[in-house]
Amino acid sequence: MAATERIIFQPYVWRKSGRRTILEPGAAVACRDAEDALRRIEKVRSGQLSVAGAQAVRMTVDEEAGDYGEPEVLGSVGDVPGLF
């Protein structure tokens, strides 16, 4: 299987954990293309999606070989952890 490009919209939410509040990833969404992921970022920015923050990420994946390319952040909004 050849390497394919994956575009992911990754939302983040604040959750209570005992006395602390921690930033956790929500359910990742596979997007059709970069424009779809960036539209979702804009929905977070405009308040249409209620999450603490989100990122749109593109990477090349070859699951058969177990190869994962370097992620490229296409867009980011709100509270997101320092991933890179």
Side-chain angles (χ1 to χ4, degrees), residues 31-59:
C31 298
R32 292 183 307 272
D33 52 35
E35 290 77 24
D36 181 32
L38 293 173
R39 274 192 297 275
R40 292 171 189 269
I41 290 285
E42 286 306 313
K43 286 183 177 182
V44 173
R45 186 171 281 122
S46 69
Q48 294 176 12
L49 288 177
S50 182
V51 294
Q55 288 182 315
V57 180
R58 172 179 22 216
M59 64 188 299

Side-chain angles (χ1 to χ4, degrees), residues 14-15 17 22-23 25 29 31 38 40 42 46 50 52-54 60 62 67 69-70 73 78 80 84:
W14 288 108
R15 295 205 201 280
S17 176
I22 57 174
L23 188 62
V29 177
C31 298
L38 293 173
R40 292 171 189 269
E42 286 306 313
S46 69
S50 182
T60 303
D62 185 344
D67 291 334
E70 286 295 316
V73 177
V80 297
F84 309 109

